[in-house]
Amino acid sequence: MRAALLGRTDAGGLVRKAGVMAVVHADGAVRESDAITLELPPMPHAVLLPV
């Protein structure tokens, strides 16, 4: 699985192809019928460094 989620740039830098960041607006049970929305940040997007 690691090989599927990691890559290299032309310069040899490591590229992580997966990650999740979320903000939860309410607590409670999650149900199959619950709506999920996605909002991308404004452009230009920036690479996040691992912490």
Side-chain angles (χ1 to χ4, degrees):
M1 184 190 293
R2 181 178 291 174
L5 298 176
L6 296 176
R8 295 279 176 185
T9 65
D10 291 339
L14 185 62
V15 174
R16 291 169 180 84
K17 299 179 184 177
V20 175
M21 183 180 292
V23 176
V24 177
H25 290 274
D27 63 355
V30 177
R31 295 183 180 85
E32 186 176 328
S33 61
D34 288 347
I36 298 174
T37 59
L38 172 74
E39 292 182 32
L40 295 175
M43 295 291 271
H45 296 154
V47 174
L48 298 176
L49 299 175
V51 291

